[in-house]
Amino acid sequence: SQQGEEDPQALSIQEGENATMNCSYKTSINNLQWYRQNSGRGLVHLILIRSNEREKHSGRLRVTLDTSKKSSSLLITASRAADTASYFCATQNTGNQFYFGTGTSLTVIP
Amino acid sequence: GAVVSQHPSRVICKSGTSVKIECRSLDFQATTMFWYRQFPKQSLMLMATSNEGSKATYEQGVEKDKFLINHASLTLSTLTVTSAHPEDSSFYICSANGGSHTGELFFGEGSRLTVL
C-alpha cells in the first residue's frame, strides 16, 4: 500500500492553542497536500507544498516538508472551534496518483 | 475553486443489485478522475484512476469487474458497484484534477452506499 501514516490519530486542544500533525509517506512525490474533511462530507484542499519546497505558509497554516525523511507537518496556529475536523495529507506521485494518509481527527474545545 | 458534483449523495439498495454513482466536473474538464472508498473514521483508499477515453487503472486488490468505472467524457465519470453486498457499504468519493501534475484535487461531496 502506498498510503501514508499520520500522527497523532486524534488530537484534542483548547481554543487558541496550536495544533500540530505529522505525516510520513513512502514514495517519491511531486508534491504533498493537506486536506480537511468535516464528518460525512467531501474533502477541502488546504495547502500544497512542492517537493522542492521546505516550508509554506497560508494564513494560520504552516506546512513543512522534509523529503529526505519523507515527512511533513501541518501546524494550525491560534485554533478555533471551527477547525474541528479530520485532516489528511496526500501525496501526488510521478504517476499523477494521489494517496492519502491515515488522518488526524482534531477537536478544538471552545 | 473548481466544482465537482457527485450523485447520489445517499443510496440504499438490496443485496445483489447494482448501483451507479456519477461524478461530474461542472466548470472544468477533468482528464483524470479518482475514485476513493472511505470506511467510518478511516482514511481514503484509492480504488482506481479513471482517464477519459481509456480504461481505468485499478489499485491492487480492487476488483475491476465488481467496481465498473467509465469515463466517457471530460466531465463525467461513473462508478457502478455491481451485485452489491453488505460489505460494499461505504462512503465513496470521487475527485478530479485537470491533468496537471502540480494541481490540487477537487472533491465531490461523496456518496454513502448502504447495502441491505
Side-chain angles (χ1 to χ4, degrees):
Chain A
S1 167
Q2 297 193 44
Q3 186 176 39
E5 299 273 338
E6 284 185 59
D7 77 272
Q9 283 190 323
L11 180 61
S12 185
I13 59 174
Q14 295 288 333
E15 202 164 31
E17 294 180 339
N18 296 340
T20 300
M21 47 205 90
N22 304 294
C23 166
S24 60
Y25 58 92
K26 300 176 183 178
T27 64
S28 296
I29 62 171
N30 282 336
N31 61 69
L32 185 144
Q33 305 178 29
W34 285 89
Y35 288 82
R36 167 197 168 122
Q37 184 183 34
N38 287 78
S39 182
R41 305 292 298 274
L43 278 73
V44 175
H45 179 264
L46 295 176
I47 193 167
L48 179 154
I49 186 166
R50 303 186 201 290
S51 60
N52 61 354
E53 296 177 313
R54 292 296 166 259
E55 186 171 316
K56 203 160 183 180
H57 297 254
S58 176
R60 294 185 295 115
L61 304 179
R62 173 177 169 258
V63 170
T64 64
L65 178 65
D66 186 335
T67 52
S68 66
K69 295 180 180 178
K70 291 187 166 56
S71 67
S72 173
S73 68
L74 171 68
L75 169 67
I76 303 174
T77 60
S79 64
R80 305 167 182 168
D83 294 331
T84 295
S86 292
Y87 292 82
F88 296 92
C89 65
T91 52
Q92 184 181 23
N93 64 15
T94 52
N96 195 33
Q97 291 162 312
F98 291 78
Y99 293 96
F100 283 79
T102 47
T104 294
S105 176
L106 174 65
T107 301
V108 181
I109 303 166
Chain B
V3 177
V4 174
S5 173
Q6 193 172 336
H7 175 82
S9 58
R10 292 179 184 273
V11 57
I12 300 172
C13 70
K14 292 183 179 179
S15 230
T17 60
S18 295
V19 173
K20 180 185 283 189
I21 301 169
E22 293 188 347
C23 181
R24 293 179 186 273
S25 56
L26 297 187
D27 52 0
F28 68 104
Q29 293 185 329
T31 54
T32 305
M33 289 185 172
F34 305 91
W35 287 95
Y36 291 88
R37 181 174 182 176
Q38 186 179 33
F39 291 104
K41 299 189 186 299
Q42 294 190 28
S43 186
L44 283 73
M45 299 300 296
L46 179 63
M47 298 174 67
T49 303
S50 169
N51 297 296
E52 186 268 336
S54 64
K55 290 184 179 179
T57 302
Y58 289 81
E59 293 296 300
Q60 192 172 9
V62 178
E63 299 175 60
K64 61 181 181 181
D65 295 329
K66 172 79 172 173
F67 299 99
L68 299 179
I69 291 172
N70 184 281
H71 193 157
S73 78
L74 284 169
T75 60
L76 174 65
S77 176
T78 61
L79 167 68
T80 301
V81 182
T82 62
S83 186
H85 291 283
E87 57 266 30
D88 298 326
S89 299
S90 191
F91 192 55
Y92 294 89
I93 310 177
C94 72
S95 65
N97 65 6
S100 164
H101 284 246
T102 58
E104 67 187 82
L105 286 178
F106 302 101
F107 281 85
E109 283 295 300
S111 299
R112 182 159 305 281
L113 170 63
T114 303
V115 185
L116 303 177

